[in-house]
Amino acid sequence: MTDPRGDRIVVDSLTKSFPQPGRRRPARQVLAGVSFTAQPGEFVSVIGPSGCGKSTVFAMLAGLDTPDSGGIRFGPGEGEPTAPHCAYMPQKDLLFPWRTVLDNTILGLLVRGVPKEEARRRARELFPVFGLSGFEDARPSQLSGGMRQRAAMLRTVVQDRELLLLDEPFGALDSLTRTEMQSWLQDVWQRYRWMVLMITHDIREAVYLSDRVVVLSARPATVRREVRVDLPRPRELSMIAAPEFVALEQELLDVLHDEARQALGPRDS
Ligand code: ADP
Ligand code: MG
């Protein structure tokens, strides 16, 4: 999938090491040359063994950390930094319990200097789409798990950036709610066609939602495989039983199992 505008994300040969606690211990290499791209309107999932550096890559895309070498750019040619173009939904929903749901969803806009009333107006418009109508003045504690995640996602989406970074958005949900949220996310994505990068540890979720799945190796991470998902859209939940779906799932599972085995090996200690 290429786009005539050429706008895209290029993640190019990222390396990163973190110092380890304790004297004279060598720095721990986390990323060993991670490269991938994303096109406008494309939904790309990133999977990989726990601790391999997925969130670290997202922190770099969001401008919260810098690579030791390599780079990330937005747009054609030399490109621009990605940070101003992306809205980041971190692994925890981070809703403030003392603020109303509406006032939680405008935080990103307030940080960017959007006046409060304007921010509230923009967020309110999205409440029906996110299944949160009538909960504008509720506190986060009054929401179900799925609703909290949708509120956190509304706060991300309302920032109106070209790229959404979703770090395990459904990780904390029970499996039924999770399935409902996956189907809901597919619907809203079809409607808005954001460029999405999503970290998940759920292979089925990755196949169901994505145009492409990037598999990272065990730490230090490189891209171990990229799998294109050419299943027609909109995808029905029943599609998960289709042979094409199952074959993709199996391929990804095999790669991931290989990597997880390595992650558990002696070099991880
Ligand atoms: P993932 O999201 O794939 O589970 P992370 O990107 O969170 O993995 O972390 C990868 C590795 O880098 C882990 O070993 C983690 O402990 C380490 N790490 C991440 N951020 C830091 C940091 N700021 N300082 C030191 N080590 C870090
Ligand atoms: Mg993580």
Side-chain angles (χ1 to χ4, degrees), residues 7-249:
D7 290 339
R8 65 192 194 287
I9 301 293
V10 178
V11 173
D12 184 13
S13 316
L14 299 180
T15 70
K16 182 73 176 179
S17 296
F18 289 113
Q20 295 206 75
R23 275 196 293 155
R24 293 183 172 277
R25 290 184 73 189
R28 167 182 280 169
Q29 192 178 15
V30 175
L31 306 178
V34 170
S35 304
F36 60 89
T37 62
Q39 304 296 332
E42 193 179 21
F43 198 121
V44 179
S45 286
V46 178
I47 62 177
S50 179
C52 77
K54 302 179 294 296
S55 295
T56 301
V57 173
F58 274 31
M60 289 172 182
L61 282 157
L64 303 173
D65 204 345
T66 50
D68 296 336
S69 69
I72 299 181
R73 47 187 200 275
F74 181 94
E78 291 285 287
E80 305 166 35
T82 46
H85 298 280
C86 66
Y88 179 35
M89 180 171 157
Q91 230 167 318
K92 295 224 166 77
D93 71 31
L94 301 175
L95 298 175
F96 292 113
W98 60 86
R99 297 181 77 113
T100 64
V101 176
L102 179 64
D103 282 349
N104 265 289
T105 61
I106 64 173
L107 283 169
L109 291 175
L110 296 185
V111 168
R112 283 166 52 198
V114 176
K116 197 169 192 172
E117 280 319 305
E118 160 75 6
R120 282 183 169 153
R121 190 187 59 72
R122 283 164 60 177
R124 260 203 195 94
E125 280 177 9
L126 289 172
F127 268 64
V129 181
F130 283 71
L132 293 167
S133 295
F135 288 87
E136 289 83 350
D137 299 321
R139 305 284 157 180
S141 60
Q142 295 170 267
L143 304 184
S144 69
M147 293 169 91
R148 289 177 66 99
Q149 286 307 106
R150 292 200 297 273
M153 206 174 290
L154 195 161
R155 176 173 59 194
T156 312
V157 164
V158 74
Q159 297 175 46
D160 202 17
R161 303 290 175 95
E162 294 94 326
L163 173 65
L164 297 185
L165 298 174
L166 309 178
D167 193 344
E168 302 204 19
F170 310 135
L173 302 176
D174 64 83
S175 74
L176 184 61
T177 309
R178 193 179 177 116
T179 307
E180 283 167 1
M181 289 286 289
Q182 290 161 354
S183 144
W184 168 82
L185 178 57
Q186 186 191 217
D187 289 348
V188 283
W189 178 82
Q190 291 262 129
R191 177 164 166 187
Y192 291 96
R193 284 296 174 142
W194 308 297
M195 174 162 50
V196 177
L197 286 177
M198 178 182 79
I199 296 173
T200 179
H201 57 254
D202 182 332
I203 292 177
R204 181 170 295 176
E205 176 174 292
V207 174
Y208 175 66
L209 287 169
S210 309
D211 297 308
R212 204 147 46 83
V213 182
V214 174
V215 187
L216 298 187
S217 70
R219 196 178 65 229
T222 55
V223 173
R224 179 73 169 63
R225 175 118 18 133
E226 278 195 30
V227 174
R228 181 163 290 285
V229 182
D230 275 327
L231 302 171
R233 294 187 186 269
R235 296 175 185 162
E236 301 296 328
L237 274 173
S238 58
M239 191 181 270
I240 63 175
E244 313 88 275
F245 192 105
V246 175
L248 286 167
E249 223 180 344

